Amino acid sequence: MAFQKMFSCILLVGLLVLYMIWDVNYFLRCVATLGYGMLFQRKRKVTDQTAIYGLCTTQDVDIFIRHMNNARYLRELDFARFHFYGLTGIYGKIKAKRGGAVQGASSVRYRRTIPIFTAYKITTKLVWWDEKAIYLEQQFVTLADGFVRAVAMSKQCITNVDVLELMKEFPSAEQRPPMPEELKLWLDSIELSSQKLRKDK
């Protein structure tokens, strides 16, 4: 009995330490999102739109406890991207070529808040690619009214892989679509920022 109590105390302390030094919920959510997609959802074409679902809880809200805080949007976008990578199989092909994917840039436009205890979905769609990156458009859509609460554009830099050659391995992506106008303007603004920073050195 004494051993069981001691073991329980050690386990509890260990869990508390883990929660203090690691964002445990983040990793659990990643595993759950990827696991559910791989086990219970059908594979998608790389050009298909994918979706995950969420609920704005007390862990997501701002200081006034009314709606989702800005930082949570970016966190949720991570899970949606992982889900997209898993369902489309694109990340598996990247890893098979000994490549990787890192977030190069992102832009979020908040159109309307997501109130506490409101259900929503995040859609993810590949909209364009070049030789070094893929570009994803993601939307937060509340389920009750179908309103797009926020729109995000994401530049995913693919390392050690020629993306143009990679995309040819997907039958639905043999031909690259035209670059969306808003993406072109966004990339232009990134280039202007880069030029300014280079001048400031």
Side-chain angles (χ1 to χ4, degrees):
M1 184 66 70
F3 174 77
Q4 289 180 339
K5 287 184 178 180
M6 184 176 68
F7 178 77
S8 298
C9 288
I10 293 173
L11 181 62
L12 180 59
V13 171
L15 288 173
L16 288 173
V17 170
L18 273 178
Y19 268 88
M20 289 173 63
I21 63 176
W22 292 92
D23 189 349
V24 177
N25 289 339
Y26 178 86
F27 292 102
L28 291 176
R29 178 76 181 279
C30 287
V31 172
T33 301
L34 286 171
Y36 181 82
M38 294 174 67
L39 292 174
F40 301 108
Q41 293 182 295
R42 63 177 178 84
K43 292 292 185 181
R44 300 292 199 279
K45 295 178 181 177
V46 75
T47 51
D48 284 347
Q49 178 175 278
T50 60
I52 66 169
Y53 294 82
L55 179 72
C56 181
T57 70
T58 53
Q59 292 191 342
D60 304 319
V61 293
D62 67 345
I63 193 171
F64 300 109
I65 318 179
R66 295 175 59 187
H67 55 75
M68 184 180 288
N69 70 62
N70 294 342
R72 282 291 178 173
Y73 284 86
L74 297 176
R75 180 186 175 99
E76 293 298 314
L77 290 173
D78 267 1
F79 302 133
R81 280 194 300 272
F82 298 154
H83 180 259
F84 172 84
Y85 277 136
L87 281 192
T88 60
I90 187 171
Y91 191 70
K93 288 185 179 292
I94 292 170
K95 292 303 292 182
K97 298 177 183 296
R98 298 186 177 181
V102 294
Q103 181 83 308
S106 65
S107 174
V108 183
R109 185 165 73 91
Y110 304 98
R111 301 182 68 226
R112 192 178 296 174
T113 61
I114 298 179
I116 189 171
F117 304 128
T118 298
Y120 60 87
K121 68 177 179 179
I122 305 172
T123 62
T124 302
K125 186 171 179 59
L126 175 67
V127 294
W128 201 67
W129 58 89
D130 56 28
E131 65 275 7
K132 294 182 179 180
I134 62 173
Y135 300 88
L136 305 175
E137 183 182 76
Q138 297 177 279
Q139 297 182 352
F140 285 80
V141 184
T142 41
L143 301 184
D145 56 9
F147 189 82
V148 178
R149 302 279 170 153
V151 182
M153 193 68 75
S154 168
K155 177 182 180 180
Q156 294 281 286
C157 297
I158 310 302
T159 58
N160 303 320
V161 175
D162 185 321
V163 178
L164 296 178
E165 292 300 316
L166 171 71
M167 297 307 293
K168 291 177 182 178
E169 298 182 20
F170 295 92
S172 61
E174 292 176 345
Q175 187 166 352
R176 186 169 57 167
M179 179 190 289
E181 182 64 22
E182 63 269 32
L183 175 60
K184 180 182 182 302
L185 294 172
W186 182 51
L187 293 180
D188 287 344
S189 72
I190 291 174
E191 179 57 29
L192 286 173
S193 175
S194 295
Q195 290 177 8
K196 179 179 181 297
L197 292 172
R198 285 194 289 267
K199 289 178 182 178
D200 290 343
K201 285 185 177 180

